[in-house]
Amino acid sequence: MPTAITPTALRPLSLRLKPLLSLLLAGCALLPGLTHALVILQYHHVDATTPAVTSVSPEVFREHMALLDAQDMNVVNLEEAMQLVLAGEELPERAVAITFDDAYLSVYENAWPELKKRGWSFTMFTSTDPVDKGYADMMSWDQLREIKAGSAVIANHTRTHPYLLEVPKGQSQKDWWRDEIQHAEKRIKEETGTSTRMFAYPYGEYSLDMAEWLSDKGYIAFGQQSGAVGSSAHPQVIARFPASGIYANVDTLKTKLLSLPFTVSPNQVRDPVLADNPPQLKLEFVIDDFRPAQMQCYAAGVGEMDIAKETSGDTLTVTMQQSSAITAGRGRYNCTAPSISQPGRFYWYSQLWVNMEVSNR
């Protein structure tokens, strides 16, 4: 079962609650509104010549940063913001965190100058073996220390960037996770002096067994399923919005930046590895600032699903199942509903599915 949010789950993190003022001063405009909502953006390459599916060109990245400016987004330090939001503390209105996976050199060359001139924090989830081996397209430890001295947080993306759902023959699951994740955390601390115990799943995929292991080791963990983050989020299944490849469109990014988190208890997160295909999902939403009649749910690559709804008091129970099997390596069920109090903003929740019969690398 997923691990609920408890003081024990948060205490091992090398973070401490800081006054909200310090968060606001760390690159955030002082706005009167406060919120429990956080949007997290996820990038890989910032380059026009790298694989399109995981890339955003420098020009489009600059457009994204200009959009954050135009929308009065408050760019926050992810390490501090996650501690606050999971503890139920308030963040600035329109809080957004920027993250990159893998520590590609193109981020240093093309994204870091844009972020540095704005004084914006960002997080670099780093796979440590490619950095240790000095691969030409990866940042060096000197460059990682340089961005950390500026506004970056250096966090864990495993040792070798493997597909963690496929355990090598002859190795136990937990021993492999320990070697990949704990070793990377050790290297990051040795080279940068800090250990955040924030972890991003390679390829965005996980199992609930993995999430429980990470919880036991004191990690907060991030996927690539979409949605805003609120205080009811599962600490080892934190949503991020991919912003590269087909997701780089500026118009759709605006909608995502303004998204809000439904209140869905973390013990409702389903193991994404498919047992039944197509999967059925039943969720209970706390009804607050949205009309149950306006709830809609979608299956990736299929479109809107017929859903069964039942209300009881302040709870909406929704049951959904797409009509055909998931044939791709990955799938998602996304549920949305427009905010009553904030026209133009949508509540958003996503459940990842992984089809192990299809290669996901």
Side-chain angles (χ1 to χ4, degrees):
M1 292 294 291
T3 303
I5 299 166
T6 64
T8 301
L10 293 174
R11 188 175 60 245
L13 298 169
S14 60
L15 309 174
R16 58 183 183 273
L17 290 175
K18 298 183 179 181
L20 183 58
L21 179 60
S22 72
L23 182 62
L24 290 168
L25 292 177
C28 299
L30 288 170
L31 293 180
L34 295 173
T35 183
H36 294 281
L38 173 66
V39 169
I40 307 173
L41 301 182
Q42 182 240 4
Y43 297 92
H44 288 88
H45 304 272
V46 183
D47 195 302
T49 65
T50 44
V53 67
T54 54
S55 298
V56 61
S57 70
E59 179 184 5
V60 172
F61 184 77
R62 288 192 292 271
E63 291 177 0
H64 287 191
M65 299 303 99
L67 177 65
L68 267 59
D69 273 329
Q71 292 298 312
D72 292 323
M73 302 302 297
N74 280 294
V75 178
V76 297
N77 178 300
L78 180 64
E79 183 181 16
E80 296 176 344
M82 284 307 308
Q83 186 74 359
L84 289 169
V85 73
L86 290 179
E89 301 291 333
E90 293 177 322
L91 294 174
E93 177 63 25
R94 300 192 178 205
V96 61
I98 300 168
T99 69
F100 301 88
D101 287 4
D102 304 322
Y104 288 114
L105 181 61
S106 66
V107 177
Y108 179 81
E109 293 176 335
N110 300 320
W112 167 230
E114 292 296 317
L115 296 161
K116 179 167 57 173
K117 73 182 182 184
R118 292 174 169 87
W120 285 353
S121 179
F122 63 100
T123 297
M124 182 69 73
F125 287 105
T126 303
S127 295
T128 56
D129 268 16
V131 179
D132 283 335
K133 294 176 181 179
Y135 290 173
D137 62 341
M138 307 302 293
M139 293 176 62
S140 67
W141 285 116
D142 282 343
Q143 290 166 332
L144 287 164
R145 284 187 286 268
E146 178 187 343
I147 65 172
K148 180 178 181 290
S151 57
V153 176
I154 311 303
N156 191 332
H157 199 42
T158 69
R159 178 178 184 172
T160 67
H161 200 281
Y163 187 55
L164 289 174
L165 293 179
E166 294 179 353
V167 181
K169 290 182 180 180
Q171 205 166 359
S172 77
Q173 193 176 61
K174 292 182 179 179
D175 284 346
W176 188 46
W177 295 341
R178 185 179 299 108
D179 179 63
E180 282 289 340
I181 298 169
Q182 299 284 66
H183 175 88
E185 195 73 23
K186 178 174 179 286
R187 287 295 297 126
I188 290 168
K189 185 171 184 180
E190 288 172 348
E191 294 289 347
T192 71
T194 57
S195 170
T196 68
R197 289 193 176 266
M198 295 195 303
F199 174 74
Y201 298 104
Y203 308 97
E205 297 183 10
Y206 59 90
S207 67
L208 289 188
D209 283 345
M210 195 184 308
E212 184 175 0
W213 183 89
L214 286 161
S215 175
D216 289 343
K217 299 297 183 289
Y219 288 88
I220 287 177
F222 301 79
Q224 295 179 30
Q225 74 281 9
S226 54
V229 182
S231 59
S232 68
H234 190 305
Q236 288 75 43
V237 189
I238 301 297
R240 294 186 292 168
F241 281 109
S244 303
I246 63 173
Y247 303 108
N249 181 280
V250 173
D251 292 334
T252 57
L253 181 61
K254 178 180 176 181
T255 300
K256 295 169 184 176
L257 288 172
L258 299 179
S259 64
L260 299 164
F262 283 113
T263 301
V264 178
S265 62
N267 62 7
Q268 295 187 71
V269 174
R270 285 276 303 278
D271 196 312
V273 179
L274 289 175
D276 299 312
N277 194 3
Q280 185 182 85
L281 180 63
K282 184 176 182 179
L283 294 171
E284 293 183 352
F285 298 84
V286 175
I287 301 171
D288 181 17
D289 192 42
F290 72 92
R291 296 182 177 90
Q294 293 182 301
M295 168 80 75
Q296 294 178 298
C297 298
Y298 304 85
V302 176
E304 187 174 356
M305 293 182 284
D306 291 328
I307 59 177
K309 302 177 186 177
E310 182 179 346
T311 58
S312 176
D314 65 351
T315 300
L316 170 66
T317 301
V318 178
T319 304
M320 68 202 79
Q321 184 176 33
Q322 68 180 65
S323 58
S324 57
I326 295 172
T327 57
R330 303 178 180 94
R332 290 182 192 168
Y333 287 175
N334 294 333
C335 293
T336 66
S339 165
I340 296 171
S341 65
Q342 302 180 68
R345 303 186 72 173
F346 288 82
Y347 289 89
W348 192 313
Y349 183 86
S350 182
Q351 167 67 52
L352 172 70
W353 303 115
V354 180
N355 183 357
M356 294 297 291
E357 296 182 0
V358 179
S359 175
N360 288 305
R361 289 177 183 262

